[in-house]
Amino acid sequence: MIAKRPASAREAAAFSLFSMAEEGAWSDGALHHYLGRAALPARDAALATRMVYGTVQNQMLCDFYLRRFSSVRLKKIAPRVLACLRMGIYQLALMDKIPAHAAVDETVALVRRYCHANDRTVAFANAVLRNAANAVQSDTLPRLDCPDKESYYALRYSHPEWLVRLLAAQYGLKETEQIVRANNADAPLSARVNLLKAAPADALRELAAAGITAEPHPAFPAILLCSGGDVAATSAFNEGRMTIQDAASALAAEVADPEPGQTVLDCCAAPGGKSFAMAERMQNTGRVVSCDIYEHKLTRIAEGAKRLGLSIIEPVLQDAAAPRAAFLGQADVVLCDVPCSGLGIIRKKPEIRYKDERAIEALPAVQAAILQNCAQYVKPGGTLVYSTCTILARENEQIVRAFLTKNPAFEAVPWKHPACGEQADGMATMLPHRNRMDGFFIAKMRKKA
């Protein structure tokens, strides 16, 4: 990462984009790092955040415009220069309160200072952005002339066409547009109140005192939707009265519905949110075994449990796909939140949309293997919950239906919740525009006694 401390919103945004391009950093992690170093006023931090997320969210559209104004093929442009040009185009074409001269001049300054650019490259960047600014001012930006709605939505909302067509086949064109549009919308930060330590009303007052705007989620009184500050920097967070967790993840813990004194196995537990929620639901009595394959993630789970005052969390190094004899038939509740394509959390990690299609085609086999293995750990009469943060049926309903067909000892369990109503077949898919939470899938099953 760049060692220099960012001095402005645009520097913080550019450094974050550079880290993504050069080091494979996640947008949220890079942005958090540079905003932490910059100590910018809240307004400038918000601008940096919007420029990073907006540039990544609209990358394909920005590239479409860049191709019309650049005399150089985009593949030939140095990665840092291309990142700056995308950010400049985003400001010019898609942000309505940024003066054109500021977008052009300050972006060109970034190219000059941080892109190892010679005079010719700086002049090239200046020409591209001035041409784009003139087109915006004269309302002559190139039209998105696409052969069908799927390709139009792919370009307009910067989603790979294969993904838009996959979603359209599953959800229909109308809802697909709602899905991809929602993926480019701002997502509030969700903080879940630790009811063992605080009441939601008290937590709301603490956040307000810290300058953070918050409101309860309509279906989860203990989930507060926050904006305008850093929840993780508050005393309420540091002293364990709340933790960061999306409502969809909290819903999985509620559907699992463990009781005080029971044994729970969270098979793919990191970063620990569902383990924490279940332990709190159990009144911190019983046992929650939280498994992961990485030691450093187990350390984070242990630290989170300590902060929240949860003594029943047991971090264990374990591959969810590998059998463990000591677990066989021992758990009242088994939760399998399996590795997935992550396509339900695009609004929070916008770069997920650009995954290689081939890289996610093998996931269903992995997911099915984990579910089959972990089902062995459920006691007769116990609960098995399968969840993902994706919205593709091939990673969700198809996995569960195949499992139930292969394993007649298990049956689907109907459930209902204010967030999504009644689920007669035990399965539900959450969508951000419908449910005000991450895209998520949850299936509840029972092992027959």
Side-chain angles (χ1 to χ4, degrees):
M1 289 188 167
I2 296 175
K4 184 181 183 299
R5 186 186 301 275
S8 67
R10 284 183 176 82
E11 284 194 359
F15 292 2
S16 299
L17 294 171
F18 296 165
S19 290
M20 292 175 65
E22 296 170 359
E23 301 154 22
W26 287 105
S27 53
D28 55 349
L31 186 61
H32 179 77
H33 172 80
Y34 287 113
L35 289 181
R37 288 182 55 79
L40 297 172
R43 183 175 179 179
D44 287 349
L47 176 59
T49 300
R50 178 85 309 269
M51 284 194 284
V52 170
Y53 280 100
T55 300
V56 179
Q57 288 167 341
N58 295 279
Q59 179 176 306
M60 293 171 63
L61 181 58
C62 290
D63 285 356
F64 171 80
Y65 291 137
L66 277 175
R67 290 187 185 94
R68 296 329 192 253
F69 300 117
S70 173
S71 58
V72 179
R73 293 176 60 191
L74 301 194
K75 289 184 178 180
K76 298 290 186 180
I77 300 174
R80 286 194 180 186
V81 175
L82 182 58
C84 288
L85 290 176
R86 285 169 171 161
M87 189 170 77
I89 289 287
Y90 171 69
Q91 294 171 72
L92 291 166
L94 297 168
M95 294 184 75
D96 57 6
K97 295 183 179 180
I98 301 293
H101 66 85
V104 173
D105 294 346
E106 295 192 33
T107 302
V108 171
L110 291 171
V111 173
R112 180 181 294 109
R113 292 174 191 156
Y114 302 115
C115 296
H116 315 293
N118 56 28
D119 290 344
R120 182 178 178 182
T121 300
V122 172
F124 161 75
N126 183 62
V128 168
L129 293 176
R130 291 196 179 281
N131 288 339
N134 290 336
V136 171
Q137 186 175 13
S138 61
D139 196 24
T140 57
L141 278 175
R143 293 185 59 188
L144 310 187
D145 190 11
C146 301
D148 56 28
K149 286 188 176 180
E150 289 92 340
S151 57
Y152 173 79
Y153 295 153
L155 181 55
R156 171 63 185 84
Y157 300 107
S158 291
H159 284 62
E161 192 169 319
W162 67 263
L163 175 56
V164 174
R165 294 190 183 280
L166 195 59
L167 293 173
Q170 181 174 331
Y171 292 99
L173 277 170
K174 183 177 181 179
E175 185 142 57
T176 293
E177 183 182 16
Q178 292 176 304
I179 290 170
V180 295
R181 184 194 300 127
N183 284 344
N184 284 4
D186 290 335
L189 185 142
S190 295
R192 184 178 56 76
V193 180
N194 178 359
L195 297 178
L196 299 181
K197 287 192 172 189
D202 296 328
L204 280 168
R205 282 192 288 270
E206 283 198 77
L207 291 174
I212 296 171
T213 301
E215 62 172 338
H217 190 286
F220 293 86
I223 296 281
L224 307 181
L225 303 177
C226 308
S227 61
D230 185 0
V231 172
T234 64
S235 58
F237 178 88
N238 291 320
E239 294 169 12
R241 292 186 291 281
M242 65 177 59
T243 193
I244 307 303
Q245 185 177 27
D246 190 79
S249 173
L251 178 59
E254 291 199 13
V255 171
D257 195 23
E259 298 178 3
Q262 288 188 331
T263 295
V264 173
L265 184 59
D266 189 352
C267 297
C268 308
K274 287 178 282 296
S275 286
F276 302 153
M278 289 189 290
E280 292 168 30
R281 193 173 184 85
M282 296 161 66
Q283 299 297 305
N284 201 31
T285 63
R287 185 182 182 208
V288 177
V289 180
S290 304
C291 300
D292 202 80
I293 60 173
Y294 298 108
E295 289 276 10
H296 71 278
K297 292 186 177 181
L298 295 176
T299 299
R300 289 186 61 191
I301 291 173
E303 291 170 348
K306 182 178 180 180
R307 178 177 58 82
L308 294 164
L310 300 171
S311 60
I312 66 169
I313 304 284
E314 301 176 22
V316 172
L317 189 68
Q318 177 64 28
D319 182 348
R324 186 159 179 151
F327 289 171
L328 295 177
Q330 297 300 303
D332 298 286
V333 175
V334 171
L335 173 60
C336 294
D337 187 65
V338 298
C340 70
S341 58
L343 298 175
I345 57 172
I346 287 177
R347 62 182 186 151
K348 291 181 177 175
K349 291 182 180 287
E351 58 270 42
I352 284 176
R353 74 188 74 192
Y354 302 120
K355 283 184 175 181
D356 188 332
E357 180 183 10
R358 293 166 296 181
I360 66 174
E361 287 178 346
L363 283 170
V366 174
Q367 294 156 347
I370 289 175
L371 180 59
Q372 186 66 43
N373 179 59
C374 295
Q376 302 177 87
Y377 305 146
V378 184
K379 290 179 179 179
T383 296
L384 174 63
V385 172
Y386 174 89
S387 64
T388 73
C389 57
T390 191
I391 59 174
L392 296 183
R394 70 188 187 191
E395 299 181 55
N396 295 334
E397 292 93 340
Q398 291 178 20
I399 297 293
V400 173
R401 289 180 183 132
F403 171 82
L404 290 172
T405 298
K406 184 178 179 181
N407 296 272
F410 286 84
E411 60 185 356
V413 178
W415 55 274
K416 63 180 179 180
H417 192 277
C420 55
E422 186 168 356
Q423 309 302 319
D425 63 356
M427 294 185 277
T429 299
M430 308 296 130
L431 295 172
H433 69 276
R434 281 191 205 159
N435 308 102
R436 294 191 71 184
M437 61 181 70
D438 287 341
F440 213 82
F441 175 80
I442 302 170
K444 185 173 185 177
M445 295 163 277
R446 179 189 295 115
K447 186 174 184 179
K448 298 173 186 176

